[in-house]
Amino acid sequence: MKIVLFGPPGAGKGTQAEKISNMYNILHISTGELLRKNIEEKTQIGLVALEYIERGKLAPDEVVLEVVNSAIKGKDSFLLDGFPRTVPQAEALDKITDIDIVLNIKLNEALIVDRILNRLVCPACGKNYNKRLYTQPDCTCGARLTSRKDDTEEVVRERLKVYASQTLPLIGYYQKRNKLVDIDGTGSVDEVFARISEALNDFAQNR
Ligand code: AMP
């Protein structure tokens, strides 16, 4: 199955992607994670991406497409998290593969900002936590938790603006193609995951 996990920054895509990936044994591809890995390894792609990520802007389509192309090459089942984020990215994706379903996690702006400003991430395994719900300094894998550099209020506001102008048009794009399923992103991680599982089971039964 080829799934796109769609939604604004902070809607819980990373957390839900990890759960879907474990439950359905499906490869999780997060473009944000792949770009951060390139930054850490100081690759050419990382050098370009850093400039954009730090300012809350989208990395150039060509750069992201290069990363995605090599990640999905030869795979017939995967979950894309954070990609596509622009119409040209979606068009490029349609040329190389056929997406089955787009799960659109919906959350209002106040909750998004609150979740992002309280987010902790594990630099080793990528797991996300909410500071209010998890008060330990270390991840369950043992690594020390940190905050993402782009999780500041100023950068978050910019990321939301970019989402509204460049990413939201994808809703119409996938609605037209009958791929979009809305998921209520409020409530606990397990509540949201239950909605996602229901949508995926419905899809599997009716395909
Ligand atoms: P994320 O981890 O998905 O929140 O992504 C973090 C940052 O990586 C974004 O704010 C963008 O700067 C960049 N990024 C991730 N995915 C994409 C994409 N599909 N297109 C352009 N930039 C991206």
Side-chain angles (χ1 to χ4, degrees), residues 9-10 13 30-33 35-36 49 52-54 56-61 64 68 81-86 89 119 148 150-151 155 159:
K13 296 190 295 296
S30 155
T31 42
E33 280 296 322
L35 293 175
R36 283 188 287 278
Y52 294 86
I53 292 184
E54 274 184 345
K57 305 279 186 200
L58 292 184
D61 288 339
V64 184
V68 170
D81 156 15
F83 180 91
R85 262 173 154 107
T86 64
Q89 288 180 11
R119 172 156 69 185
R148 269 171 52 174
D150 58 346
D151 277 352
V155 180
R159 282 157 69 199

Side-chain angles (χ1 to χ4, degrees), residues 5 8 39 47-48 74 86 93 98 101 120 128 133 145 148 183 191:
L5 202 53
I39 292 172
L47 287 177
V48 176
T86 64
L93 182 64
D98 200 13
I101 186 168
L120 288 173
N128 287 349
L133 305 173
L145 295 171
R148 269 171 52 174
I183 304 287
E191 281 165 344

